[in-house]
Amino acid sequence: MSGDVALTAEIRFPPVSYHHPPDPHRKGILMFRQSLDSGGIYADAVVHGSGMTALQYRRERGANSEDIELNVEVPQVVRIEKRGDAFTLYLSMKGEPLHPVGASIALHLSAPFYVGLGVVSHDADTVDRVEFRQVHVQGLPPLTKGAPLVRYSTLRTIQTEDQYRRAMVIRSGTAPMQSAN
């Protein structure tokens, strides 16, 4: 695909058919990728089997993945939008309209790029099943000139270890934040 695009779906984990506990890091993925090689640049929205939801990405080919994790319940609907070089995660928790949740990154993908679904079991000896429902891929219209903009504030903690960079969204909303308190 090319241009501004949104990928939306419900992601569910049906009961497992094997006889051991599932890996909590198994995941259902809504993904944008520059290429199909294993070390490619990407941005994705993921729901883990444990319920954790995150925006994950790799900025350079072969680099470590990074993520912005959310401290929320399992969402009902997940959406990742690409507008220019901005990727933003939107969620609907209980049927309310999709809304941004403070997870957004700047990442360049050259056209054309790939858009699709993914599943990872995190266990080489296990096949996991993930259900994707109400999947929609849609081109996004240009933003309307003169449309009112909404200011969004997000407070995150950022872990900066050498091998893994992780951010956790603590609070996000339309009101300005001046400090962590």
Side-chain angles (χ1 to χ4, degrees):
M1 296 194 80
S2 62
D4 294 342
V5 180
L7 177 57
T8 309
E10 298 173 8
I11 302 173
R12 301 285 177 267
F13 293 86
V16 298
S17 59
Y18 42 86
H19 302 293
H20 59 83
D23 190 297
H25 296 291
R26 66 191 173 133
K27 55 185 94 165
I29 306 166
L30 306 180
M31 180 172 277
F32 288 79
R33 290 188 70 91
Q34 185 65 71
S35 66
L36 296 179
D37 65 303
S38 63
I41 297 169
Y42 74 90
D44 64 24
V46 300
V47 176
H48 290 74
S50 66
M52 183 181 73
T53 303
L55 176 68
Q56 297 181 324
Y57 53 97
R58 181 180 297 122
R59 294 185 185 277
E60 297 177 11
R61 188 182 181 327
N64 288 336
S65 291
E66 301 178 45
D67 72 5
I68 302 170
E69 297 175 3
L70 301 171
N71 188 15
V72 297
E73 297 175 19
V74 177
Q76 185 176 12
V77 181
V78 180
R79 176 183 181 112
I80 184 170
E81 281 190 7
K82 177 195 176 300
R83 285 198 179 269
D85 288 346
F87 289 86
T88 305
L89 179 61
Y90 291 76
L91 300 178
S92 172
M93 303 307 289
K94 296 181 170 111
E96 77 279 9
L98 286 159
H99 56 280
V101 290
S104 186
I105 58 147
L107 177 80
H108 179 73
L109 293 181
S110 299
F113 49 83
Y114 294 91
V115 178
L117 308 175
V119 175
V120 176
S121 72
H122 271 278
D123 180 346
D125 298 323
T126 300
V127 174
D128 268 299
R129 202 171 125 217
V130 177
E131 294 176 356
F132 295 90
R133 298 178 184 167
Q134 301 296 318
V135 177
H136 299 280
V137 179
Q138 65 189 102
L140 298 173
L143 296 175
T144 306
K145 289 185 179 185
L149 299 176
V150 176
R151 178 177 290 161
Y152 224 84
S153 299
T154 302
L155 176 64
R156 299 180 191 162
T157 61
I158 300 176
Q159 177 181 339
T160 57
E161 294 177 1
D162 290 338
Q163 296 298 314
Y164 185 70
R165 184 176 167 98
R166 182 179 114 186
M168 173 69 78
V169 173
I170 304 301
R171 182 170 179 238
S172 191
T174 56
M177 281 187 251
Q178 297 178 352
S179 67
N181 60 2

